[in-house]
């Protein structure tokens, strides 16, 4: 099956970043990273989801966290230089990033936002992130993702 290149793949090609596109079966009723990990037959700790938050001082920012975890809003606010922050409403996702829920990638958003990746990504040679559409993931090295998104590693989830 031929996989059509997404904008994410084109940007990675342009930057000469090694990656692999991996497709999976989409369940419109379950867009969770846990479902994606099951479809890929991978450890959910290696499948990361991209969340967009809005801080009271910095405005919008991106958190990339392990698929089964929830973002800790206090930790995310602190890391991003805010007093408080909240997840953006789903209806704002497409106009803000160019991506839909279940297909939001930290690479290639309409505008660059400060990006924070959970530090657990560093323990893996490669992690999965969305390739910018439902049913497609990118497998790449965490260090390459940091470079491409100008991100930093941070403590972003509860229980760390």
């Amino acid at each position: 099956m031929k996989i059509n290149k997404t904008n994410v793949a084109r940007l990675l090609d342009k930057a000469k970043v090694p990656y692999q596109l991996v497709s999976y079966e989409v369940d419109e009723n379950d867009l969770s990273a846990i479902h994606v990990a099951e479809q890929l037959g991978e450890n959910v700790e290696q499948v990361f989801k991209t969340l967009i938050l809005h801080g009271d001082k910095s405005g919008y920012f991106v958190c990339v966290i392990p698929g089964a975890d929830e973002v800790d809003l206090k930790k995310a606010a602190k890391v991003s230089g805010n007093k408080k922050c909240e997840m953006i409403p789903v209806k704002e996702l497409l106009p803000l990033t160019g991506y839909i829920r279940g297909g939001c990638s930290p690479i290639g958003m309409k505008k660059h936002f400060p990006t924070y990746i959970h530090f657990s990504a560093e323990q893996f040679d490669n992690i999965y992130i969305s390739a910018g559409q439902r049913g497609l993931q990118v497998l790449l090295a965490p260090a390459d993702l940091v470079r491409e998104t100008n991100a930093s590693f941070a403590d972003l989830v509860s229980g760390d």
Side-chain angles (χ1 to χ4, degrees):
M1 180 180 101
K2 171 135 176 45
I3 298 174
N4 289 329
K5 289 233 167 155
T6 62
N7 193 32
V8 172
R10 284 189 282 280
L11 289 166
L12 292 172
D13 285 345
K14 188 176 169 197
K16 297 185 174 25
V17 172
Y19 69 92
Q20 189 180 337
L21 285 176
V22 183
S23 62
Y24 64 93
E25 198 65 39
V26 178
D27 178 351
E28 294 293 333
N29 298 316
D30 185 0
L31 297 173
S32 72
I34 296 167
H35 173 75
V36 173
E38 287 168 358
Q39 290 293 309
L40 297 172
E42 292 289 346
N43 177 346
V44 72
E45 289 161 12
Q46 215 169 334
V47 177
F48 282 68
K49 59 187 174 186
T50 303
L51 306 173
I52 314 301
L53 291 88
H54 187 267
D56 60 344
K57 292 193 166 98
S58 72
Y60 297 106
F61 64 99
V62 179
C63 290
V64 182
I65 65 170
D69 289 327
E70 295 296 321
V71 68
D72 182 315
L73 294 176
K74 283 193 172 92
K75 288 180 178 180
K78 187 176 177 189
V79 159
S80 61
N82 291 286
K83 274 201 174 13
K84 62 182 189 206
C85 66
E86 61 189 13
M87 295 275 294
I88 66 164
V90 172
K91 69 180 187 302
E92 289 179 23
L93 190 63
L94 181 60
L96 186 69
T97 66
Y99 293 126
I100 59 171
R101 181 170 168 261
C104 186
S105 179
I107 299 170
M109 290 186 186
K110 283 183 174 180
K111 195 175 155 223
H112 176 76
F113 299 109
T115 302
Y116 306 93
I117 300 168
H118 188 258
F119 65 81
S120 67
E122 291 181 283
Q123 71 184 313
F124 299 108
D125 291 337
N126 291 293
I127 60 169
Y128 289 92
I129 59 164
S130 174
Q133 68 185 46
R134 291 177 184 166
L136 203 56
Q137 293 279 301
V138 172
L139 181 65
L140 79 171
D144 289 333
L145 178 58
V146 165
R147 216 173 18 259
E148 280 311 293
T149 56
N150 200 16
S152 51
F153 288 113
D155 179 3
L156 299 166
V157 299
S158 308
D160 284 343

